[in-house]
């Protein structure tokens, strides 16, 4: 075994750079996305059940329900109510459903699942809750569903707002 490079114990000088140091990400994993207004939001990945992208005709409208609900979606045999997240948060413009696909984030808590229709999924990112701040730059309609925000950009010109999926699921607005 002497001289066999597979069994030598060195300080790691001969290892590839990606094997020498594994960085542990700071914070928790979040999904980042935009709603129709162009504002960016995030949800904790732990509350997300799945991400679905389907044509609008796969969402079946349901009469006599809240105008915040676009309809239902059958995903792998389970019926999921789909909501226009932008309108739910108080934005006046309804979601543009005249498009090839609508991204839907299915969130779940204690067996209750709801699909949140958004404009665009950005991706996932590790975000540190200790760097999050409370903001007063939001409407009263949105306030009960925000946990805080991260200030982005060199000059702090953008913000990434963190939503509380449990508060959204438990909202009395769905009955309106």
């Amino acid at each position: 075994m002497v001289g066999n490079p597979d069994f030598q114990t060195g300080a790691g000088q001969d290892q590839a750079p990606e094997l020498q140091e594994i960085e542990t990400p700071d914070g928790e994993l979040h999904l980042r996305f935009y709603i129709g207004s162009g504002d960016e939001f995030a949800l904790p990945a732990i509350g997300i059940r799945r991400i679905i992208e389907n044509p609008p005709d796969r969402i079946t409208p349901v009469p006599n329900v809240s105008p915040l609900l676009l309809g239902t979606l059958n995903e792998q045999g389970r019926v999921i109510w789909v909501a226009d997240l932008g309108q739910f948060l108080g934005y006046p413009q309804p979601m543009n459903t005249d498009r090839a696909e609508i991204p839907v984030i299915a969130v779940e808590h204690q067996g209750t699942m709801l699909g949140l229709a958004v404009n665009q999924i950005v991706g996932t990112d590790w975000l540190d809750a200790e760097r999050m701040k409370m903001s007063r730059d939001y409407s009263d309609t949105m306030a009960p569903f925000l946990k805080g925000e991260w200030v982005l950009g060199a000059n702090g010109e953008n913000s990434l707002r963190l939503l509380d999926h449990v508060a959204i699921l438990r909202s009395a607005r769905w009955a309106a």
Side-chain angles (χ1 to χ4, degrees):
M1 300 248 180
V2 176
N4 185 337
D6 292 337
F7 295 101
Q8 290 180 351
T9 57
Q13 303 92 330
D14 297 334
Q15 294 177 349
E18 62 272 9
L19 296 177
Q20 288 181 8
E21 183 177 331
I22 297 176
E23 290 186 28
T24 304
D26 290 331
E28 296 178 17
L29 189 61
H30 291 79
L31 179 70
R32 294 171 66 166
F33 56 90
Y34 290 103
I35 60 171
S37 65
D39 290 338
E40 189 175 7
F41 290 87
L43 281 166
I46 194 141
I48 297 172
R49 179 66 171 208
R50 62 178 53 112
I51 297 171
I52 309 158
E53 294 203 31
N54 281 322
D57 63 357
R58 294 268 327 269
I59 299 172
T60 306
V62 177
N64 303 321
V65 296
S66 168
L68 302 173
L69 295 167
L70 297 175
T72 60
L73 181 65
N74 186 334
E75 180 66 20
Q76 298 176 344
R78 184 165 182 184
V79 175
I80 302 171
W81 285 93
V82 178
D84 180 340
L85 182 58
Q87 280 203 298
F88 176 81
L89 294 174
Y91 290 94
Q93 191 70 23
M95 169 169 271
N96 176 16
T97 57
D98 185 22
R99 51 199 280 179
E101 290 188 329
I102 296 176
V104 176
I105 304 166
V107 293
E108 184 175 31
H109 180 71
Q110 295 181 344
T112 301
M113 189 182 299
L114 176 67
L116 304 172
V118 300
N119 192 48
Q120 177 187 358
I121 304 275
V122 176
T124 56
D125 206 353
W126 293 93
L127 301 169
D128 189 354
E130 292 179 12
R131 294 185 179 181
M132 187 171 49
K133 299 177 180 172
M134 287 308 297
S135 170
R136 290 175 180 75
D137 185 26
Y138 48 76
S139 69
D140 291 340
T141 306
M142 190 184 302
F145 311 106
L146 289 177
K147 289 185 173 182
E149 71 180 5
W150 290 276
V151 178
L152 306 174
N155 299 324
E157 64 272 9
N158 296 326
S159 66
L160 172 62
R161 295 177 178 161
L162 178 62
L163 293 173
D164 182 348
H165 71 284
V166 176
I168 291 171
L169 283 167
R170 292 182 177 171
S171 173
R173 276 191 213 164
W174 302 121

